[in-house]
Amino acid sequence: MPKNRTITKLLKLKDNRKKEIEIDVKRAADRVDEESSKLNSLEKDFTDTLEFFNGKNFEGSMDVNNINSYYDFFSRINGKINEQKKVHDHHSNELKSLKGNLVEAHKDKKVIEILHEKAIRKELKEKLSSEQKESDFYAISRRSK
């Protein structure tokens, strides 16, 4: 019986650990979504401005100062996009790692559940065997009198 209680406590610990990792995975997924939306927003700003710039440049209505300011803008936003891609990739890798940890935590919990079931079956088997021995003893005792 004490073994069964120990396994039950261990099972609760493993379940709590799995729940903690699930929460961490959800937070990481939310961060990845947030970083992805930031990246998409930067890329959309870049493409919208590039389309506007190409249209104005095609018309020939841009002077040198405007072209320089657009060039500076494109340089800055391109740098921001590259930085945002790095941040996004970092959070994506973190999410992937946490998902791997979640799988391991689930496996650990499943192993403990199996041990718990085996302990319960063994305890039940021992109890039935003990009851059978006791009833056999009483049956033999009655016949021998």
Side-chain angles (χ1 to χ4, degrees):
M1 195 65 161
K3 181 179 179 181
N4 202 5
R5 275 187 249 147
T6 304
I7 293 174
T8 303
K9 288 179 184 178
L10 190 58
L11 183 61
K12 286 180 184 178
L13 287 173
K14 294 292 183 181
D15 188 45
N16 288 339
R17 178 69 182 140
K18 189 181 103 167
K19 287 177 182 177
E20 287 174 5
I21 294 174
E22 285 173 348
I23 291 169
D24 290 343
V25 166
K26 176 148 178 37
R27 286 184 190 144
D30 290 344
R31 277 193 306 264
V32 167
D33 290 343
E34 182 181 317
E35 297 300 330
S36 179
S37 68
K38 286 179 184 178
L39 180 60
N40 290 338
S41 175
L42 285 171
E43 289 174 341
K44 184 177 179 341
D45 287 346
F46 182 84
T47 55
D48 290 347
T49 308
L50 183 61
E51 287 174 8
F52 179 76
F53 172 76
N54 287 336
K56 289 290 187 182
N57 195 26
F58 182 73
E59 292 173 4
S61 62
M62 296 196 56
D63 62 357
V64 174
N65 289 333
N66 283 341
I67 291 174
N68 280 337
S69 66
Y70 276 105
Y71 176 75
D72 289 341
F73 173 78
F74 290 134
S75 295
R76 275 184 302 183
I77 200 163
N78 198 26
K80 287 181 182 180
I81 287 173
N82 289 335
E83 288 177 25
Q84 190 61 35
K85 282 181 181 179
K86 288 178 185 175
V87 170
H88 180 263
D89 290 344
H90 171 74
H91 287 295
S92 293
N93 291 336
E94 184 180 317
L95 176 61
K96 198 178 295 184
S97 173
L98 285 172
K99 283 182 177 180
N101 290 345
L102 180 61
V103 168
E104 288 301 316
H106 182 72
K107 286 179 183 177
D108 288 346
K109 182 183 174 207
K110 193 66 178 171
V111 166
I112 299 301
E113 286 175 344
I114 291 169
L115 284 174
H116 187 251
E117 290 171 7
K118 283 183 180 180
I120 289 173
R121 283 193 303 257
K122 183 178 179 184
E123 187 178 308
L124 182 61
K125 185 178 178 182
E126 288 173 355
K127 184 178 177 183
L128 290 174
S129 174
S130 174
E131 288 175 358
Q132 184 62 41
K133 286 179 184 178
E134 188 175 322
S135 65
D136 288 349
F137 174 77
Y138 287 133
I140 292 172
S141 296
R142 285 186 197 149
R143 287 187 185 164
S144 61
K145 287 183 181 184

